[in-house]
């Protein structure tokens, strides 16, 4: 199998995240996409070919995710002044908290998260695929497409109508945050595809040797799920603060699903409604 060694796997996740030493925001944006794209590219293009079409599909999913994310972030940074300004504000706050070396725990924590998100791909390639693995990867691709289309739709509408536009049509007519919902669907299916592939009866002999990877995958899923739930909660709170009482917003809220989020906080962060707060927000902020 063309899978990275432990040392290479660590390097592919840690080195891109070192961008966070340069610009703090890059540690949760470009590093997110680059790490996953590099791990997937190593599996697809370096060494012996992967042994199954399903393993290739899983690696392709992560490659598509990473490349699409980086292109989206680059486009947004080059064309939307708000996000360039916001990036610099994040960097100013990071500098005020201490030296660049003080970001080491942040960088390593992000690296660990990205390693956990890529781990199910290695689990999928560890055993002959089962039908449920194929189905789950299909679900993961649906989640990826949902998030990508949501980002594209929101970006187009905001470019035409302004950053303060409340997007309520298309995917947003049904899902208030299709980017977060799509990502949660993708990462959950990603985890299950890998975990169930080595936890089924015919592959149980592999389970002891894959226990550390399975644990890493579970932690990665838990981490990104928390980030997405927190991002959805924070965004909805800011929307409530900004749009409560507006007829269009109230009708949209009643007719759409807000996704799975953390419980509301008692106090509301009064940041702008599109302010990124973490990896998920960085790639896809919703109005």
């Amino acid at each position: 199998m063309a899978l990275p060694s432990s040392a290479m796997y660590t390097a592919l996740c840690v080195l891109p995240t070192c961008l966070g030493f340069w610009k703090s925001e890059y540690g949760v944006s470009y590093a997110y996409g680059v790490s996953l794209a590099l791990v997937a590219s190593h599996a697809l293009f370096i060494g012996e070919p992967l042994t199954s079409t399903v393993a290739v599909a899983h690696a392709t999913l992560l490659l598509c995710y990473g490349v699409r994310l980086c292109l989206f972030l680059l486009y947004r940074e080059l064309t939307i002044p708000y996000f360039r300004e916001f990036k610099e504000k994040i960097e100013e706050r990071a500098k005020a908290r201490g030296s660049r070396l003080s970001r080491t725990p942040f960088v390593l924590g992000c690296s660990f998260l990205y390693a956990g998100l890529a781990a199910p791909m290695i689990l999928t390639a560890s055993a002959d695929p089962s039908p449920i693995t194929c189905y789950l990867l299909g679900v993961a691709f649906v989640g990826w497409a949902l998030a990508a289309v949501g980002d594209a739709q929101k970006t187009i509408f905001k470019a035409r109508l302004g950053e303060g536009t409340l997007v309520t049509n298309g995917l947003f007519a049904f899902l208030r945050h299709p980017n977060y919902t799509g990502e949660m669907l993708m990462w959950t299916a990603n985890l299950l595809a890998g975990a169930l592939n080595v936890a089924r009866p015919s592959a149980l002999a592999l389970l002891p040797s894959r226990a550390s990877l399975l644990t890493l995958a579970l932690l990665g899923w838990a981490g990104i799920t928390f980030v997405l739930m927190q991002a959805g909660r924070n965004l909805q709170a800011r929307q409530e603060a900004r749009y409560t009482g507006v007829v269009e917003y109230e009708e949209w809220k009643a007719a759409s699903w807000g996704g799975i989020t953390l419980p509301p906080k008692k106090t509301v962060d009064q940041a702008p409604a599109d302010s990124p707060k973490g990896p998920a927000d960085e790639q896809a902020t919703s109005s």
Side-chain angles (χ1 to χ4, degrees):
M1 293 183 296
L3 296 174
S5 64
S6 297
M8 178 60 72
Y9 187 56
T10 301
L12 293 175
C13 294
V14 172
L15 291 179
T17 316
C18 289
L19 286 169
F21 288 118
W22 175 33
K23 297 285 187 182
S24 180
E25 183 266 347
Y26 286 170
V28 295
S29 58
Y30 291 106
Y32 187 14
V34 171
S35 294
L36 294 172
L38 286 179
V39 173
S41 295
H42 189 286
L44 287 168
F45 307 122
I46 298 176
E48 295 297 321
L50 291 168
T51 56
S52 76
T53 302
V54 174
V56 170
H58 203 157
T60 301
L61 170 71
L62 297 187
L63 179 61
C64 289
Y65 179 86
V67 170
R68 199 284 305 184
L69 172 58
C70 288
L71 290 175
F72 173 68
L73 292 169
L74 182 61
Y75 168 80
R76 198 173 65 172
E77 184 172 347
L78 292 176
T79 62
I80 304 176
Y82 165 78
F83 288 104
R84 291 196 298 273
E85 295 166 3
F86 191 80
K87 177 193 67 179
E88 294 307 320
K89 289 180 181 178
I90 292 175
E91 186 61 20
E92 289 172 7
R93 290 199 296 267
K95 288 179 179 178
R97 288 194 293 267
S99 68
R100 294 184 188 276
L101 284 178
S102 68
R103 304 177 192 180
T104 300
F106 160 75
V107 168
L108 293 179
C110 289
S111 302
F112 185 83
L113 173 64
Y114 307 151
L117 295 176
M121 179 198 71
I122 299 178
L123 294 173
T124 297
S126 298
D128 292 334
S130 65
I132 188 65
T133 304
C134 301
Y135 169 76
L136 287 166
L137 285 177
V139 173
F141 271 105
V142 170
W144 172 80
L146 188 64
V149 172
D151 277 345
Q153 180 192 343
K154 176 193 59 191
T155 301
I156 291 170
F157 272 79
K158 285 181 174 290
R160 291 177 178 174
L161 304 176
E163 276 300 310
T165 302
L166 183 66
V167 183
T168 60
N169 55 4
L171 287 179
F172 289 84
F174 309 98
L175 302 170
R176 260 171 273 164
H177 317 301
N179 35 27
Y180 299 153
T181 302
E183 285 233 4
M184 194 173 294
L185 178 64
M186 188 192 88
W187 290 125
T188 299
N190 172 70
L191 168 69
L192 292 175
L196 294 180
N197 203 50
V198 296
R200 57 198 167 95
S202 61
L204 284 179
L206 293 170
L207 198 54
S209 64
R210 294 291 181 258
S212 59
L213 270 176
L214 184 56
T215 301
L216 180 61
L218 286 167
L219 291 173
W221 172 81
I224 197 63
T225 298
F226 176 81
V227 167
L228 291 165
M229 291 174 66
Q230 183 183 55
R233 186 268 308 276
N234 292 346
L235 181 53
Q236 289 190 172
R238 293 192 295 274
Q239 288 177 338
E240 286 287 326
R242 184 172 184 177
Y243 297 114
T244 293
V246 177
V247 174
E248 180 188 8
Y249 173 72
E250 298 295 346
E251 292 177 347
W252 174 58
K253 188 172 71 169
S256 60
W257 185 50
I260 301 172
T261 68
L262 295 179
K265 292 190 293 186
K266 292 183 179 180
T267 58
V268 176
D269 181 0
Q270 294 299 324
D274 286 330
S275 297
K277 294 293 180 183
D281 300 86
E282 256 317 303
Q283 61 180 290
T285 51
S286 299
S287 64

